[in-house]
Amino acid sequence: MKKFTATQQTTLKDFTDATYPQGSFAFNVLLKKGDIRVNGERRRANCPVSAGDEILYYTTAAQEAKPSHTVVYEDENIIVADKFSGVSSEGLFCELASRGDYFPVHRLDRNTSGLIVLARSAAAQEQLIAAFKERAVEKIYLCFAGNNFKRESGILTDYLEKDAAKNSVKIYSAPAAGRVKIITEYAVQKSFGDYALVKIILHTGKTHQIRAHLAYIGCPVLGDTKYGNSALNKKYRATRQILVAHDLRFNISGELAYLNGKTFTSGIFPALP
């Protein structure tokens, strides 16, 4: 059992992500089993947390020992980690920050696995955030998706609207107020009947872009419970999106230009449960 006290108004999920890495990694399981208590009361759903609230986590030995990532590359400026599915980016940041100076640069969805970059200093963080924003880092993903592609490859250009309250997005073919342009390149690598292995290159990087964009064209990521095909997910017993941030390539200037020409590759490959 681990005990913490909240110091400000937040939510149970956000508090856990920012405070207790192992609790973050197992958050959904802990809620389902009622193994989180706030002021002595079992919680089975996310809830508000106030300053002074006492939060108890009844994690198992296996949950405590579960790793969050492996390290693909690290130097004095940057770490490229291979994040496991089920691990929140915030939980990973919290874990690494407890070991030394690590600063977040970008994030991956909790159930998306693969490469995530953190900086080792505030100066490196500023440069890396700018590089991601300026598309100076090429991000290549691999996924399993419903095999309804009309063409084996293509570049999709549409418009995304985010609903922050619901933590979801919608895709539209035409621009309008509140919508941002998204560009997603895809190429089918191998077909397996009703699903396919697909390579994705992001030309923009918006919330849930890959998942929502592929669903929009009728080829949802296998295992995606938000935008996916429930019948296909059930057929393959996929409860998490089978999506991997597989490769990173830098085209960056300044002090971090030594990273140019390097390709970092995840050790994780899409696989059925």
Side-chain angles (χ1 to χ4, degrees), residues 26-197:
F27 186 72
N28 292 331
V29 173
L30 291 171
L31 281 182
K32 185 177 181 179
K33 294 185 176 180
D35 286 337
I36 302 178
R37 297 184 184 184
V38 178
N39 297 328
E41 295 185 12
R42 291 180 182 270
R43 299 296 183 180
R44 297 184 184 274
N46 193 20
C47 63
V49 170
S50 300
D53 285 351
E54 182 182 80
I55 297 94
L56 302 179
Y57 300 88
Y58 292 87
T59 46
T60 66
Q63 288 166 340
E64 283 294 319
K66 182 180 178 180
S68 61
H69 70 288
T70 59
V71 175
V72 174
Y73 175 84
E74 186 169 14
D75 62 26
E76 68 275 10
N77 295 311
I78 184 176
I79 177 173
V80 181
D82 217 359
K83 183 182 80 67
F84 299 140
S85 178
V87 174
S88 71
S89 295
E90 293 79 8
L92 177 61
F93 301 155
C94 176
E95 177 187 5
L96 290 174
S98 69
R99 302 177 185 177
D101 291 330
Y102 293 92
F103 301 82
V105 172
H106 67 120
R107 68 182 305 282
L108 295 176
D109 292 339
R110 179 186 290 269
N111 290 331
T112 297
S113 57
L115 302 181
I116 185 168
V117 173
L118 294 92
R120 295 299 315 277
S121 68
Q125 180 191 37
E126 182 179 359
Q127 295 174 61
L128 287 165
I129 288 175
F132 274 86
K133 184 176 181 179
E134 295 164 4
R135 317 309 301 170
V137 183
E138 183 180 51
K139 296 184 285 185
I140 298 175
Y141 291 73
L142 292 176
C143 71
F144 284 154
N147 194 12
N148 297 310
F149 293 95
K150 295 180 179 179
R151 295 189 298 166
E152 292 293 294
S153 62
I155 298 178
L156 309 173
T157 302
D158 290 290
Y159 299 86
L160 178 149
E161 184 175 275
K162 183 177 180 179
D163 185 334
K166 294 182 178 179
N167 189 31
S168 65
V169 303
K170 290 185 177 180
I171 309 298
Y172 300 89
S173 61
R179 300 176 187 174
V180 293
K181 185 177 181 179
I182 57 170
I183 302 173
T184 307
E185 183 176 352
Y186 75 89
V188 175
Q189 305 295 290
K190 188 174 181 179
S191 295
F192 300 93
D194 55 3
Y195 74 96
L197 174 65

Side-chain angles (χ1 to χ4, degrees), residues 12-30:
L12 181 59
K13 179 183 180 301
D14 289 344
F15 175 83
T16 307
D17 285 343
T19 307
Y20 181 33
Q22 298 308 122
S24 175
F25 306 156
F27 186 72
N28 292 331
V29 173
L30 291 171

